[in-house]
Amino acid sequence: MTKVIFCSTCGTAFDLNKSSCSCGNIMTMTEKNMLADKFSKIERYQLINSGYGSQVQELKNELPLYDLSKTYYRGSSAKRDYEIKVSFIKDSLIPQITEWKNIVQDADAILAKDKVELYGRLLGITDFAIREFFGKFALKGNGAEILEEYRDFSKYELTMVMNDYNLTLDDIQTTNFETIGIDVFNTISDTLHNGSFLELADKGEFTNDDLNKVKGELAVAVAGQIISGITSIISQNSAAIKNVRIADNNLNEKLSHISKLSHSLSIEEQEINKQKQLFDKSDLIIDSCYNKILKPIVDELKNDPIYIKYKIAREPYDLQENKIEIENQALKINSEVSFWRCLLTGAYKNFNHHLNNRLKVINSLEQYNSINKKLNEKRHKSLSAKHNYEIDKTELFRQYELENRRVLRETEIIKKNKDTVVQFFNVLKTVKENIIR
């Protein structure tokens, strides 16, 4: 059983033999043993345990057995040995590498979902604390501005993971966010709106993008070399031997990348197993600490009559803020401008034509139109009108928050739990340090 677990209040490393944490939290032996058991299971689990790395290495060790002889007297003998070597590569080595590659990629996809789940929970927790508990315009007055740093961190990492793995909202519909009792999925939805193998032959080092290309095209490249090598053999004996050797040299050049590829897969396999443990441990920390500390506060706040009334009345301001964020994201997208269209089309139609194109790029056109419909608002007539709208609506939202926060701050649920929510950033700090080390 593991000797080091974590404090169920602040999330920091906690010696199993100690009775209390430096934060003052005292954990029962039952609680400590339960966490230690969960940690031990995480440490023992291997997402990838394929053994394909050693199998590929054994096959690579056999390659010298298929080297062509230094001397040939007949072209047919050279061709026969070349074809035997080709068959070994095509039927034994390449399938093993391909299977290994697929196992690593499948595991990587599972890890991506784990990352989305953890970053989504962090985003949901911080966003709820900022928007609902303190209010986005009142963080400094409550000493809660640190929460913005962790929200932005989780938002950035979540977006990067989904972009790197080409994930969409549909891909994460089944992701388990609900254990924290917050509508994380809607938060994520809002956040997100806001030649190949031969060319690599001369490179001394491979980038990740290069290695991905090699993984996908290794079999094709080798097969192409096999075909070109065999078809180049002509009937004349000396020319046949010469062309077989040329084909074999070219093939060996391609096969030199197998060592780099298998080395990359081996490192990737180890890194995936390591990250799986880190993210599973971080997930356990978030679940345990959140359920013990924050979830009771969240549930009580969501059932408070004053908060419920405030949240319903705030809906138009939330929609306007979402609309502004979508527009700002869309305006970051480049759009080709036609001189004749600008000349012949009015400013209103021209502005919204390009806005539509940009909204389609970020997959937000439908959501943008839906927000306008709910708000009963028309499209902006110009970029200047859009800027004025943002200034006016943001100020109205600020005034609404200032007025209503005075009332909310006096509710018992917020008065008695303000410090607890602020101090929860220690848990977030521990998780962040754990997953970026």
Side-chain angles (χ1 to χ4, degrees):
M1 185 178 286
T2 184
K3 295 279 183 75
V4 178
I5 51 173
F6 64 90
C7 174
S8 58
T9 296
C10 68
T12 56
F14 186 90
D15 193 311
L16 188 61
N17 297 318
K18 287 188 176 181
S19 58
S20 64
C21 177
S22 57
C23 72
N25 178 39
I26 298 175
M27 298 171 65
T28 66
M29 203 63 205
T30 300
E31 186 181 12
K32 289 190 291 184
N33 286 337
M34 179 186 68
L35 290 175
D37 182 57
K38 290 180 178 179
F39 256 35
S40 294
K41 289 179 180 177
I42 290 172
E43 290 171 346
R44 290 196 303 267
Y45 178 72
Q46 296 286 299
L47 181 57
I48 307 177
N49 192 15
S50 64
Y52 274 91
S54 57
Q55 294 176 34
V56 168
Q57 186 58 48
E58 289 175 6
L59 290 170
K60 284 166 55 184
N61 292 339
E62 291 183 34
L63 274 173
L65 300 175
Y66 296 91
D67 286 347
L68 269 61
S69 171
K70 294 186 187 295
T71 57
Y72 282 108
Y73 299 102
R74 295 171 57 86
S76 58
S77 298
K79 179 180 176 182
R80 180 202 63 213
D81 288 352
Y82 179 77
E83 289 176 335
I84 291 172
K85 180 177 181 178
V86 163
S87 295
F88 170 74
I89 294 167
K90 186 171 66 172
D91 298 336
S92 299
L93 184 57
I94 295 300
Q96 286 288 333
I97 291 178
T98 302
E99 185 66 22
W100 188 19
K101 175 201 71 174
N102 291 338
I103 288 172
V104 171
Q105 288 180 336
D106 289 345
D108 203 27
I110 293 172
L111 179 61
K113 291 290 185 73
D114 287 350
K115 291 180 178 180
V116 167
E117 183 174 330
L118 180 65
Y119 291 132
R121 291 180 179 186
L122 291 175
L123 178 60
I125 291 169
T126 51
D127 196 63
F128 187 91
I130 291 168
R131 295 173 61 85
E132 313 302 334
F133 194 88
F134 293 109
K136 62 176 292 183
F137 301 109
L139 295 176
K140 289 185 178 180
N142 288 288
E145 57 267 34
I146 187 69
L147 291 169
E148 284 190 308
E149 177 186 334
Y150 291 99
R151 181 195 59 184
D152 293 343
F153 163 74
S154 55
K155 182 185 292 188
Y156 172 80
E157 293 294 338
L158 174 68
T159 305
M160 288 296 292
V161 171
M162 295 195 69
N163 284 339
D164 288 346
Y165 291 89
N166 295 316
L167 297 174
T168 65
L169 290 174
D170 290 338
D171 294 323
I172 63 170
Q173 283 280 6
T174 58
T175 303
N176 179 24
F177 297 116
E178 294 310 311
T179 54
I180 64 169
I182 293 174
D183 192 356
V184 175
F185 193 80
N186 283 341
T187 303
I188 291 175
S189 176
D190 293 343
T191 297
L192 294 180
H193 285 103
N194 312 72
S196 63
F197 190 89
L198 295 178
E199 292 171 358
L200 301 176
D202 296 330
K203 291 192 177 183
E205 296 181 0
F206 285 98
T207 64
N208 287 336
D209 186 49
D210 291 337
L211 285 166
N212 287 334
K213 289 179 180 178
V214 172
K215 289 177 196 175
E217 299 174 15
L218 179 63
V220 176
V222 173
Q225 188 60 42
I226 289 167
I227 294 169
S228 64
I230 292 176
T231 55
S232 68
I233 296 174
I234 58 177
S235 57
Q236 294 178 354
N237 195 50
S238 60
I241 294 172
K242 178 183 177 182
N243 283 322
V244 166
R245 293 201 184 281
I246 290 173
D248 187 56
N249 287 335
N250 290 337
L251 179 59
N252 288 337
E253 184 181 344
K254 304 296 179 294
L255 293 178
S256 68
H257 296 306
I258 285 183
S259 293
K260 291 183 179 180
L261 177 57
S262 60
H263 181 63
S264 169
L265 286 173
S266 179
I267 293 175
E268 198 170 347
E269 186 176 280
Q270 294 172 29
E271 185 63 23
I272 287 172
N273 281 330
K274 175 185 172 184
Q275 287 202 24
K276 174 64 176 171
Q277 288 187 356
L278 289 175
F279 276 83
D280 282 353
K281 287 182 178 181
S282 299
D283 211 32
L284 180 57
I285 293 172
I286 284 290
D287 267 354
S288 299
C289 295
Y290 179 85
N291 288 332
K292 181 178 179 180
I293 306 300
L294 281 192
K295 193 171 188 302
I297 300 173
V298 171
D299 292 342
E300 189 177 348
L301 181 64
K302 288 165 71 175
N303 290 313
D304 184 85
I306 296 175
Y307 169 77
I308 292 172
K309 182 179 178 181
Y310 153 81
K311 186 68 183 292
I312 292 172
R314 199 188 74 187
E315 184 176 353
Y317 299 99
D318 287 337
L319 288 171
Q320 289 164 356
E321 185 182 47
N322 203 357
K323 174 180 175 178
I324 291 167
E325 288 181 358
I326 291 174
E327 288 171 341
N328 288 337
Q329 287 298 317
L331 289 174
K332 293 178 182 178
I333 305 298
N334 291 327
S335 179
E336 292 187 8
V337 178
S338 165
F339 169 78
W340 291 108
R341 183 176 183 86
C342 292
L343 184 65
L344 302 174
T345 306
Y348 172 77
K349 287 187 176 179
N350 193 50
F351 173 76
N352 279 286
H353 167 75
H354 290 289
L355 178 60
N356 275 348
N357 289 341
R358 291 173 170 127
L359 290 170
K360 289 175 182 176
V361 171
I362 64 173
N363 298 315
S364 297
L365 179 58
E366 185 178 343
Q367 185 186 16
Y368 182 75
N369 290 335
S370 175
I371 291 173
N372 277 331
K373 186 176 181 180
K374 289 177 182 177
L375 291 171
N376 195 25
E377 292 181 350
K378 294 182 179 179
R379 292 283 193 102
H380 304 306
K381 292 185 177 181
S382 64
L383 184 60
S384 176
K386 181 264 173 200
H387 288 318
N388 290 335
Y389 177 92
E390 180 174 355
I391 294 170
D392 293 343
K393 298 305 182 184
T394 301
E395 182 56 32
L396 287 172
F397 191 13
R398 185 188 300 275
Q399 291 301 321
Y400 172 82
E401 279 287 289
L402 288 174
E403 293 171 9
N404 285 273
R405 283 292 155 186
R406 294 191 187 100
V407 178
L408 287 169
R409 277 199 299 267
E410 296 306 312
T411 60
E412 189 64 22
I413 175 65
I414 290 183
K415 280 203 306 187
K416 70 180 182 182
N417 292 300
K418 182 182 72 172
D419 292 341
T420 302
V421 176
V422 171
Q423 289 169 4
F424 194 77
F425 88 87
N426 288 317
V427 177
L428 306 179
K429 179 182 177 183
T430 298
V431 170
K432 179 182 177 182
E433 291 174 349
N434 191 38
I435 57 182
I436 64 174
R437 65 184 181 185

